[in-house]
Amino acid sequence: MDIKFPERMTMIWLLLYLIVTSLVSANRFILSEMPVPRQAENECICSIVIPDSFPSQMIDFAEDALKNLTQLVQEEMDKLAPIIQNITSYNDAVENMTNTVLDIETNGIKDEADFLKATKQINNLADASDVLFTLLNETDDVIGDILNQVNNVSSVVWQLESFDKNGVLVTHREMAALRKQLAECEEAMTNLNFGVPGAGQLTHEFGKCDHKELVNISKPFIVKLNWRGFSYKYGAWGKDFAIGNKNPDMYWVAPLNTDQRLMEIYRLYNTYRDLLLYKNQVEKSLSQYVGFNWNYMNCGQGSGAILYNGSFYFNCHNTRNLCKMDTVTNNIKRKTVEGAAFNNWYSYSGVSWQDFDFAGDEKGLWVVYATESSKGKITIAQLDPENLNTIKTWETSLYKPNITNTFIICGVLYALKRVTAHKEIIFYTFDTNTGKEGTLDIVLEKLSDTAQSVSYNPNDHKIYMYNDGYLVTYDVMFKRQFTRRRRTVATMNTQNSLMTIHKGWQQFSAA
Ligand SMILES: *[C@@H]1O[C@H](CO)[C@@H](O)[C@H](O)[C@H]1NC(C)=O
Ligand SMILES: *[C@@H]1O[C@H](CO)[C@@H](O)[C@H](O)[C@H]1NC(C)=O
Ligand SMILES: *[C@@H]1O[C@H](CO)[C@@H](O)[C@H](O)[C@H]1NC(C)=O
Ligand SMILES: *[C@@H]1O[C@H](CO)[C@@H](O)[C@H](O)[C@H]1NC(C)=O
Ligand SMILES: *[C@@H]1O[C@H](CO)[C@@H](O)[C@H](O)[C@H]1NC(C)=O
Ligand SMILES: *[C@@H]1O[C@H](CO)[C@@H](O)[C@H](O)[C@H]1NC(C)=O
Ligand SMILES: *[C@@H]1O[C@H](CO)[C@@H](O)[C@H](O)[C@H]1NC(C)=O
Ligand SMILES: *[C@@H]1O[C@H](CO)[C@@H](O)[C@H](O)[C@H]1NC(C)=O
């Protein structure tokens, strides 16, 4: 008798084992390779992004199927135990029968009792085979079903593994980049000028606008978590954006309260090193305790604030006024923007209360807002930094709640749109020099989902992003301009190559 079912069961167990181990390893990869962001004094922070493409729904399916299969197999094992017993007794019966037949063959039938015993044995055998046959037939079908399902799950697991391999590769790449950033962060703590353009290096480029055409944005450089911590996801940060300002190395960090609305406090740092170490800060508190009540009149609203030429510009709390706070005297000036929508009426997509978004570029001070009359279309206003008077305005066709943020370079507004949690595209431009709109397609990678504020600094050609609490910078790349030398003809290639702004890993070599 050929008992093959236990062998097939072994095979199924083996398959299940393989599935279980691949699932377990897939799970382990997700959970344990994800470093927790940490915040502490003198510490470099890192965070990791789990790729969007990781097929968690496939894991769910496979886990579900595995549970079902385990149950099925267990049921079959339970059924199999008595079958094996029956097969054993069947074997015994066959053995007895064989002995009886042999006995009859050699000795002949001794008496009727002997004969009855033989026929009884044959009948028993027949009954047993019937029972066994039905059992085996049914089991066969169920086992066939199980094998089909095992094949089904195996194919899912196989797909999963191929996905997982990619996931591991992506994660490894990101880990490598993070290690590099950590190393640089550590270097930055001991090197005052790290990440800051060296004196005399390309300085002639800064502040000028001739042929400044944006061609690409570098990968994000994570500088630090904001000083208030991980839960302060809303805010703005940067450097003084005015060309030729007195303290070009002065950084500001302004995390909003967790209501996403109130800017009650911000800090200034005189150097990059101070910012990295969170020391020697000047803290500005904007709320006042008057007559047993807190007064928020001088506070800001939303994350559109910037530091420009030694003054802090922001939307005054609960109004359509612009505020300017002199960081030396702490005097505050106000100016109403007639017709501007305010109090979270037409804020950016995914970002609340940013009704007024300030910008400072090569051409001066700007504020971007939406008007009530245009029903949410973006207006760009150039401001007199001294008194906040509007010098000129441009109305665009861009619906403010449809875009995630904007920044301005040389009087050209660039607008962002969300693609995924880790990707934005710069898709729209408005040139105030010509009054023309344009389209673009430049990808901006994000560490975290929401870019709470995005601003360009003309003094270092960097974009400053407050990315869900993280302070992040990007290098901006412009089309390289060659001055033609005599007898040299510039090729298309060199005309189009990219230019880098400063040293470091973010540098992009001329292609
Ligand atoms: C597992 O069994 C449940 C209940 O019978 C069923 O709804 C589900 O679709 C099964 N899952 C798979 C992957 O076969
Ligand atoms: C095993 O065989 C006996 C008869 O030989 C039968 O009564 C019994 O039900 C069988 N066991 C199972 C689990 O079918
Ligand atoms: C086989 O023969 C032995 C001895 O004659 C008997 O005890 C046993 O019950 C028989 N087994 C079957 C399954 O008929
Ligand atoms: C299983 O039994 C059914 C009848 O119950 C029969 O039609 C079928 O052919 C059997 N299958 C096998 C594999 O013997
Ligand atoms: C796996 O089984 C499910 C449901 O039983 C079915 O929808 C799916 O097409 C099967 N997949 C493969 C690869 O056979
Ligand atoms: C733009 O920069 C990104 C980030 O480094 C890079 O991946 C991409 O290839 C660049 N695109 C072009 C067109 O150079
Ligand atoms: C910055 O302020 C100084 C006076 O404090 C002024 O002379 C200078 O023009 C201002 N720069 C800009 C870019 O507004
Ligand atoms: C905003 O975006 C949505 C979806 O893309 C689009 O249907 C709608 O027309 C846009 N609104 C305006 C005013 O552009």
Side-chain angles (χ1 to χ4, degrees), residues 204-416:
H204 59 283
E205 278 293 327
F206 294 93
K208 287 191 182 163
C209 279
D210 24 303
H211 314 296
K212 216 171 233 179
E213 188 184 327
L214 179 64
V215 289
N216 205 357
I217 303 279
S218 74
K219 293 208 175 290
F221 180 85
I222 310 151
V223 173
K224 214 166 163 64
L225 188 62
N226 81 85
W227 53 272
R228 292 179 84 177
F230 194 66
S231 44
Y232 291 80
K233 292 190 186 311
Y234 322 99
W237 86 292
K239 249 169 129 171
D240 194 319
F241 292 159
I243 293 285
N245 67 73
K246 261 188 280 176
N247 298 301
D249 275 339
M250 185 179 275
Y251 289 83
W252 52 278
V253 182
L256 303 184
N257 287 2
T258 51
D259 63 0
Q260 307 191 39
R261 179 180 183 184
L262 191 66
M263 186 182 68
E264 226 183 332
I265 194 167
Y266 68 92
R267 282 184 178 181
L268 299 172
Y269 300 91
N270 272 311
T271 65
Y272 189 61
R273 186 183 165 80
D274 284 350
L275 171 79
L276 287 177
L277 301 180
Y278 280 153
K279 63 173 199 189
N280 302 328
Q281 69 269 7
V282 176
E283 190 165 298
K284 302 284 183 184
S285 188
L286 301 171
S287 50
Q288 296 161 303
Y289 197 62
V290 188
F292 304 110
N293 278 315
W294 281 106
N295 183 313
Y296 300 118
M297 202 183 111
N298 289 338
C299 288
Q301 180 162 292
S303 47
I306 65 165
L307 182 68
Y308 187 88
N309 209 15
S311 289
F312 201 56
Y313 292 81
F314 53 92
N315 175 205
C316 326
H317 186 247
N318 206 22
T319 66
R320 57 160 63 93
N321 295 345
L322 306 180
C323 273
K324 172 190 178 184
M325 178 183 187
D326 187 309
T327 59
V328 178
T329 64
N330 292 339
N331 282 341
I332 294 186
K333 278 186 189 153
R334 291 159 194 282
K335 189 87 196 176
T336 303
V337 183
E338 299 298 343
F342 70 109
N343 274 356
N344 206 19
W345 202 249
Y346 294 114
S347 189
Y348 289 125
S349 160
V351 182
S352 300
W353 301 101
Q354 199 170 329
D355 298 277
F356 295 88
D357 185 9
F358 283 91
D361 73 351
E362 290 84 353
K363 303 236 160 173
L365 180 68
W366 309 82
V367 67
V368 169
Y369 58 91
T371 57
E372 286 171 344
S373 59
S374 72
K375 297 196 173 59
K377 299 276 170 32
I378 279 185
T379 293
I380 306 167
Q382 186 161 28
L383 300 175
D384 182 339
E386 187 49 40
N387 50 26
L388 291 166
N389 286 343
T390 296
I391 299 169
K392 192 175 175 189
T393 61
W394 292 262
E395 203 170 286
T396 73
S397 69
L398 205 55
Y399 184 56
K400 192 157 172 269
N402 265 6
I403 61 164
T404 49
N405 227 296
T406 61
F407 58 88
I408 298 180
I409 302 177
C410 286
V412 180
L413 176 96
Y414 295 85
L416 304 177

Side-chain angles (χ1 to χ4, degrees), residues 182-211:
L182 274 176
E184 287 184 347
C185 180
E186 275 153 18
E187 186 195 335
M189 287 195 183
T190 53
N191 175 5
L192 270 172
N193 294 318
F194 182 84
V196 179
Q201 185 191 351
L202 290 171
T203 41
H204 59 283
E205 278 293 327
F206 294 93
K208 287 191 182 163
C209 279
D210 24 303
H211 314 296

